[in-house]
């Protein structure tokens, strides 16, 4: 009996020690704050079930027009600022689990690719447009319509057509003030997309060889990549972007392995897949904001990924 108690104490302390060596760093999405209820629910659930501390990043919250900083701030400003905070957190642990919801998933990928010798073991991407946003959801259209120079044009009697709105995200003035435009990637206007400053560089579609190699090496350091999303998604267009798939100019869905990202192995996606490092967790019946605290997602997708890190 005494031996059993000693073994339990030892095993219990080992498990606790493993949890102490691992931290989770969670980045919220666009038009959101770190302390919204579904993110707090995520934190409470994961900490209770695993004992691993979840850090919710308190940065670039909510929606405020420039010059105020918020989730609308361009990503080439957000990423380096958030990365400073993340590095301070990561220094407390042997390894960390990156969790990014929606735009937060794009931010996390950008941080991973730019962070040499990072200690991110697993990246959990939740309902994030990893291949870009091919269309503009209605609620984003409303935000674009509130941009000062758009209002000015309308006040001068100029009509902005639906076709104009589809090109508007590429306008440098929009790129500099509206974060979702930074990962807008309409397949019909691909060449115009390549002129933008953020997403083509993140995907290694443009850039110098040294920077491309660095970004690819950093992404390939991941031990696991977990992609979570689903077909009833109403915000990410197409929803397959959450799985690194996309859509062609003639509106046909392109699965991950058929995309240019994968076939040319631009930033290491194929490398991870060949190592069986990619897990896709597809859940139906969920709208965009349902994903962070869905019990089905947490039980079937998130907990197994965290436990895999603890057991690695």
């Amino acid at each position: 009996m005494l031996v059993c108690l000693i073994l339990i104490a030892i095993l219990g302390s080992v498990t606790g020690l493993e949890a102490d060596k691992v931290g989770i760093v969670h980045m919220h999405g666009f038009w959101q704050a770190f302390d919204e209820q579904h993110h707090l629910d995520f934190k409470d659930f994961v900490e209770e079930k695993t004992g691993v501390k979840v850090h919710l990043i308190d940065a670039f919250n909510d929606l405020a027009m420039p010059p105020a900083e918020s989730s609308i701030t361009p990503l080439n400003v957000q990423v380096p600022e958030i990365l400073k905070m993340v590095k301070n957190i990561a220094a407390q642990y042997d390894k960390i689990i990156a969790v990014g919801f929606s735009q937060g998933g794009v931010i996390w990928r950008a941080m991973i690719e730019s962070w040499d010798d990072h200690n991110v073991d697993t990246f959990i991407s939740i309902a994030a447009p990893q291949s870009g946003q091919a269309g503009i959801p209605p609620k984003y259209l409303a935000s674009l319509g509130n941009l000062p120079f758009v209002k000015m044009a309308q006040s001068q009697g100029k009509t902005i057509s639906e076709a104009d709105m589809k090109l508007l995200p590429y306008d440098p003035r929009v790129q500099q003030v509206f974060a979702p435009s930074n990962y807008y990637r309409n397949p019909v206007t691909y060449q115009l997309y390549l002129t933008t400053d953020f997403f083509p560089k993140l995907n290694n579609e443009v850039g110098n060889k040294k920077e491309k190699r660095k970004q690819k090496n950093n992404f390939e350091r991941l031990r696991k990549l977990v992609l979570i999303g689903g077909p009833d998604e109403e915000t990410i267009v197409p929803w397959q972007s959450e799985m690194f798939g996309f859509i062609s100019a003639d509106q046909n869905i392109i699965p991950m392995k058929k995309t240019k990202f994968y076939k040319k192995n631009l930033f290491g996606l194929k490398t991870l897949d060949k190592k069986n490092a990619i897990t896709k967790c597809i859940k139906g019946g969920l709208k965009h904001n349902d994903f962070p605290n869905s019990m089905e997602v947490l039980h079937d997708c998130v907990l197994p990924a965290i436990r895999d890190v603890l057991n690695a």
Side-chain angles (χ1 to χ4, degrees), residues 58-74:
D58 180 6
F60 298 95
N61 296 299
D62 299 313
L63 186 63
M65 296 303 288
E69 288 190 342
S70 74
S71 67
I72 204 172
T73 300

Side-chain angles (χ1 to χ4, degrees), residues 107-275:
I107 290 171
W108 246 121
R109 179 156 74 93
M111 290 195 291
I112 289 167
E113 289 190 20
S114 63
W115 184 1
D116 295 338
D117 300 318
H118 66 74
N119 62 338
V120 181
D121 177 276
T122 294
F123 173 27
I124 302 175
S125 173
I126 304 177
Q130 294 295 355
S131 286
Q133 183 81 343
I136 308 174
K139 66 179 182 179
Y140 288 11
L141 279 172
S143 296
L144 284 170
N146 287 326
L147 292 173
F149 66 86
V150 175
K151 285 187 172 183
M152 182 180 296
Q154 291 170 336
S155 70
Q156 294 169 350
K158 296 178 182 178
T159 302
I160 299 178
S161 67
E162 184 176 340
D164 291 334
M165 291 300 278
K166 289 181 179 179
L167 295 176
L168 191 60
Y170 296 133
D171 189 305
R173 294 170 295 179
V174 178
Q175 288 278 320
Q176 292 166 14
V177 298
F178 190 67
S181 70
N182 299 157
Y183 44 92
Y184 182 69
R185 184 170 168 252
N186 191 319
V188 178
T189 51
Y190 181 70
Q191 292 304 315
L192 189 56
Y193 151 76
L194 288 177
T195 66
T196 61
D197 192 50
F198 179 78
F199 212 53
K201 290 180 181 178
L202 177 64
N203 297 323
N204 276 348
E205 294 167 281
V206 300
N208 62 63
K209 289 183 179 179
K210 182 179 179 181
E211 191 63 23
K212 286 181 176 181
R213 185 69 253 172
K214 167 188 170 177
Q215 292 188 168
K216 187 176 181 181
N217 285 342
N218 289 339
F219 190 74
E220 289 176 342
R221 279 178 63 88
L222 291 171
R223 190 180 64 85
K224 293 287 184 179
L225 171 63
V226 180
L227 303 172
I228 302 171
D232 297 306
E233 162 74 64
E234 85 286 10
T235 298
I236 307 304
V237 182
W239 75 266
Q240 287 88 350
S241 179
E242 299 167 339
M243 302 290 129
F244 273 110
F246 207 53
I247 193 168
S248 66
D250 54 5
Q251 301 299 293
N252 290 317
I253 295 300
I254 308 171
M256 180 185 78
K257 292 185 179 182
K258 297 293 184 181
T259 63
K260 181 175 71 172
F261 293 170
Y262 185 94
K263 290 194 293 184
K264 293 187 175 182
N265 201 23
L266 291 182
F267 52 86
L269 193 61
K270 186 175 182 178
T271 302
L272 293 186
D273 187 49
K274 293 300 182 182
K275 294 191 297 185

